[in-house]
Amino acid sequence: MRLYNTMSKRKEEFVPVEEGKVRMYVCGPTVYNFIHIGNARPMIVFDTVRRYFEYKGYDVNYVSNFTDVDDKIIKKAIEEGVPAEEISQRYIEECKKDMDGMNIEPATTNPLATQEIDGMIDMISTLIEKGYAYEKNGTVYFRTRQFKDYGKLSHKNLDDLRSGNRALLVSGEDEKEDPLDFVLWKPKKEGEPAWESPWSDGRPGWHIECSVMSKKYLGEQIDIHAGGEDLVFPHHENEIAQSEACNGKEFAKYWMHNAFLNIDNHKMSKSLGNFRTVREISEQYDLQILRFFMLSAHYRSPLNFSAELMEASKNGLERIQNAADNLRYMMEQAKEESMTDAEKDNLAKTKEFVTAFETAMEDDFNTADAIAAIFDLVKYANTTATTEGSKEYAKALYDLLVKLTDVLGLIVDKKEEILDDEIEALIAERQAARKEKNFARADEIRDELAAKGIVLLDTREGVKWKKA
């Protein structure tokens, strides 16, 4: 298995720290509002990476945090006149609802920054003792230049950053030994939540939390650290500096970052009016369609969100779901006897689809090509499975389709949708009209149902329906 390492800028063979195990940390959202579709991409991408490792038999310890103390959370709490904890807990619950809709597997651990303050104070104290950090008037800064390898992930040069006046944090600029030093701890302001520390009553800087939580739940060295490419600098660069300065060893072996998501070919921004939350998307589409859309491109490729592409994803997912639905029907209708020799030969040929799927996933998790392999399997199933064949063959194809789509987190079992009595009666009336060759009335009912958002599909297995 080869994956692209942001650190080396090349694909590398995956060799875990501990055989048979994967320690993986993915930076989670700051919970001050509903998550947006930019948050959704790394959630879906790295959940899929995790699923593939599990498919290959690895024991995966998957940690993804919630940042539950932050300027944005505090601002919203002040606006609503409630404690910051109430805001963060509210949106953690909402985030989990959206994640469930996208079929994100629960993390092994979802640590909260506010519950790890003691560990952050301990790490900051160690960094001060080792000469990597210093305190000024209650604020603790990291000595960026003291860490000789600073910039090795983002491939940025400190002198270039200095000459460009690229400060890592603007507050307390006059107190810093160097403008590039960044904050580990800051004193509280009026109305802010705060914790006691040796330096001041205050709260941690953003970067320190992930270093501490990764160490606590995964150990001093992990296999994979992942997130959106916007986190490469300064967040992940600063994590490396803190963790390696404190622990004296390599922090993560592999760094994975997904590319940006645009909206109708523009960067997502509230000022442009194109800011889309996952909750808003769920009002228009099943979130399985959003997941399919996110996986339809390689994770390191920029992805453009548009209504047209979501419709294409809806059609693509339906194609797979219809194949699964047909196979289930054939399992019900087919003969109980065992596979024929011809069916056994056909089933043996499906190995090529599995090989194509795994080859794609093992080449830096190329989900686009993996989906193409699933479509090839769908086409094969549609042409080789019939109600005249054996139940065993239909079930073998169905089980294989479910197995591969599950790796991508795609659910092929269509949700049972309950029609109200009026619509059920109309469908029954239309069936009766057709039997009586009253096609004018049958067409009227079809149009009436279409107006209610119900599309009828006359298939060889009988009448099926879907919501428009």
Side-chain angles (χ1 to χ4, degrees):
M1 187 187 307
R2 292 168 60 80
L3 55 84
Y4 183 87
N5 190 349
T6 307
M7 181 83 75
S8 64
K9 287 189 170 183
R10 60 183 177 84
K11 292 179 185 177
E12 299 178 8
E13 189 69 26
F14 178 75
V15 180
V17 174
E18 185 177 354
E19 187 175 352
K21 296 186 177 182
V22 176
R23 301 185 182 113
M24 190 170 177
Y25 189 96
V26 179
C27 288
T30 300
V31 282
Y32 66 96
N33 209 329
F34 293 105
I35 59 170
H36 55 73
I37 57 175
N39 299 132
R41 191 174 194 191
M43 288 179 177
I44 291 169
V45 164
F46 299 115
D47 174 70
T48 304
V49 170
R50 172 206 187 160
R51 285 170 178 269
Y52 188 72
F53 275 121
E54 291 174 339
Y55 166 81
K56 296 297 288 185
Y58 285 94
D59 177 12
V60 182
N61 187 348
Y62 187 93
V63 177
S64 186
N65 68 304
F66 288 116
T67 296
D68 63 338
V69 57
D70 176 87
D71 290 340
K72 292 177 181 177
I73 296 171
I74 294 167
K75 180 183 177 184
K76 193 170 186 73
I78 292 171
E79 289 173 355
E80 295 192 14
V82 298
E85 182 181 9
E86 183 174 326
I87 297 295
S88 60
Q89 285 300 318
R90 178 198 308 167
Y91 288 111
I92 285 172
E93 292 309 309
E94 297 299 338
C95 178
K96 287 181 177 179
K97 290 178 186 176
D98 288 338
M99 291 171 74
D100 184 61
M102 294 184 289
N103 198 24
I104 308 293
E105 285 188 344
T108 310
T109 310
N110 281 128
L112 306 181
T114 56
Q115 295 178 3
E116 308 296 340
I117 301 296
D118 288 346
M120 298 181 207
I121 291 172
D122 288 345
M123 181 172 279
I124 293 169
S125 298
T126 298
L127 291 170
I128 291 174
E129 291 169 10
K130 290 189 170 186
Y132 285 101
Y134 60 96
E135 182 264 341
K136 289 282 187 180
N137 297 321
T139 300
V140 181
Y141 300 97
F142 185 89
R143 287 190 174 96
T144 303
R145 291 184 186 276
Q146 187 75 14
F147 184 70
K148 302 303 182 186
D149 289 334
Y150 193 87
K152 64 180 179 178
L153 178 67
S154 58
H155 307 284
K156 293 181 182 291
N157 181 282
L158 272 176
D159 292 328
D160 291 341
L161 290 173
R162 181 67 186 91
S163 62
N165 290 320
R166 175 60 173 91
L168 300 187
L169 198 72
V170 294
S171 62
E173 203 66 34
D174 55 336
E175 296 180 337
K176 294 181 181 180
E177 295 177 356
D178 188 304
L180 296 181
D181 294 347
F182 60 89
V183 169
L184 299 175
W185 186 271
K186 49 189 172 185
K188 70 174 181 179
K189 295 177 183 176
E190 188 64 34
E192 290 187 351
W195 291 263
E196 291 183 4
S197 82
W199 318 288
S200 62
D201 287 352
R203 58 189 173 96
W206 174 40
H207 310 298
I208 194 71
E209 66 178 76
C210 291
S211 287
V212 168
M213 291 186 281
S214 176
K215 180 179 180 179
K216 177 176 179 178
Y217 296 102
L218 295 171
E220 292 183 345
Q221 185 180 37
I222 67 176
D223 295 293
I224 297 172
H225 199 313
E229 66 180 9
D230 56 312
L231 299 180
V232 173
F233 185 87
H235 185 51
H236 287 168
E237 195 70 74
N238 290 354
E239 279 190 65
I240 292 171
Q242 296 161 164
S243 296
E244 296 189 1
C246 177
N247 303 326
K249 60 178 65 176
E250 181 185 42
F251 178 29
K253 289 188 68 176
Y254 307 95
W255 290 85
M256 298 180 68
H257 296 92
N258 64 274
F260 287 116
L261 178 79
N262 292 324
I263 310 292
D264 294 321
N265 295 309
H266 292 91
K267 183 177 179 181
M268 186 169 66
S269 144
K270 288 184 178 178
S271 62
L272 292 176
N274 65 355
F275 191 86
R276 304 292 300 276
T277 66
V278 172
R279 191 61 53 87
E280 289 169 342
I281 299 299
S282 72
E283 294 169 0
Q284 299 174 275
Y285 297 98
D286 188 306
L287 291 180
Q288 275 284 291
I289 297 169
L290 180 64
R291 183 170 186 124
F292 185 94
F293 163 75
M294 293 287 187
L295 298 178
S296 64
H298 192 279
Y299 77 91
R300 286 191 290 111
S301 298
L303 186 57
N304 183 56
F305 179 92
S306 69
E308 293 78 13
L309 290 172
M310 282 294 284
E311 285 298 324
S313 295
K314 179 181 178 182
N315 293 335
L317 182 59
E318 281 186 353
R319 182 179 163 197
I320 298 171
Q321 290 174 331
N322 287 339
D325 197 30
N326 288 337
L327 287 169
R328 280 195 301 272
Y329 175 80
M330 290 171 193
M331 287 159 59
E332 293 170 2
Q333 301 297 319
K335 302 167 187 174
E336 287 290 344
E337 56 258 7
S338 300
M339 276 188 272
T340 65
D341 289 341
E343 286 177 328
K344 289 177 182 178
D345 289 341
N346 286 341
L347 187 61
K349 291 176 184 176
T350 63
K351 290 180 181 177
E352 65 185 71
F353 306 121
V354 176
T355 298
F357 178 88
E358 293 184 352
T359 298
M361 292 298 285
E362 302 214 2
D363 182 16
D364 193 32
F365 303 98
N366 190 336
T367 53
D369 284 358
I371 288 173
I374 289 174
F375 278 138
D376 288 340
L377 173 61
V378 163
K379 181 179 179 181
Y380 189 77
N382 288 341
T383 55
T384 63
T386 69
T387 52
E388 299 302 313
S390 70
K391 180 177 181 179
E392 185 182 7
Y393 180 63
K395 185 177 187 304
L397 288 175
Y398 176 79
D399 289 346
L400 179 58
L401 182 60
V402 169
K403 183 178 182 179
L404 296 186
T405 52
D406 185 62
V407 176
L408 300 182
L410 299 173
I411 301 171
V412 296
D413 286 324
K414 289 182 178 177
K415 294 178 181 176
E416 289 293 326
E417 299 186 60
I418 301 173
L419 300 179
D420 61 34
D421 292 341
E422 179 189 358
I423 294 175
E424 287 179 349
L426 284 170
I427 291 175
E429 184 185 345
R430 178 176 177 270
Q431 289 297 90
R434 293 184 71 191
K435 283 183 179 180
E436 295 168 4
K437 297 188 178 181
N438 185 354
F439 299 114
R441 177 56 183 154
D443 290 343
E444 283 178 8
I445 294 171
R446 177 186 283 275
D447 293 341
E448 191 176 340
L449 288 170
K452 296 176 182 291
I454 301 297
V455 177
L456 298 183
L457 304 171
D458 295 314
T459 73
R460 64 184 181 182
E461 291 87 22
V463 177
K464 297 183 180 181
W465 63 272
K466 68 177 182 177
K467 286 190 176 180

